[in-house]
């Protein structure tokens, strides 16, 4: 978790419960407005995808599942 995320969580925990709920709903609306179908990647996720793509993994569609192990 980034320092900003950690600081934000700490500040939200200082609020009364009703205000915590409000803050949560507000952040949720921001995230949904930014990425309504949760398809965007964070920088960390992009780095992990790039590393996986460059690792020499085998794509699912490249495997002959009917004849695997023969």
């Amino acid at each position: 978790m980034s320092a900003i995320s950690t600081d934000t969580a700490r500040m939200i925990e200082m609020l009364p419960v009703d205000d915590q709920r409000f803050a949560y709903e507000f952040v949720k609306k921001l995230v949904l407005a930014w990425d309504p179908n949760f398809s965007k990647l964070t920088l960390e996720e992009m780095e992990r995808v790039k590393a996986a793509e460059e690792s020499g993994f085998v794509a699912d569609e490249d495997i002959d599942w009917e004849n695997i192990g023969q």
Side-chain angles (χ1 to χ4, degrees):
M1 186 181 299
S2 72
I4 291 174
S5 298
T6 303
D7 289 346
T8 302
R10 285 187 187 135
M11 287 188 285
I12 290 173
E13 285 182 344
M14 291 188 290
L15 297 171
V17 173
D18 287 344
D19 292 336
Q20 287 180 23
R21 287 189 189 109
F22 173 81
Y24 170 79
E25 291 299 326
F26 180 75
V27 170
K28 187 166 90 174
K29 285 184 184 218
L30 286 174
V31 170
L32 289 172
W34 174 72
D35 187 10
N37 60 1
F38 297 102
S39 61
K40 292 183 182 180
L41 299 177
T42 65
L43 291 176
E44 180 184 334
E45 290 169 331
M46 281 188 255
E47 291 170 4
R48 292 173 61 198
V49 167
K50 183 180 177 187
E53 289 174 342
E54 295 172 351
S55 71
F57 75 97
V58 177
D60 180 55
E61 60 268 6
D62 294 337
I63 298 172
D64 181 1
W65 292 103
E66 297 298 319
N67 297 305
I68 198 160
Q70 294 179 3

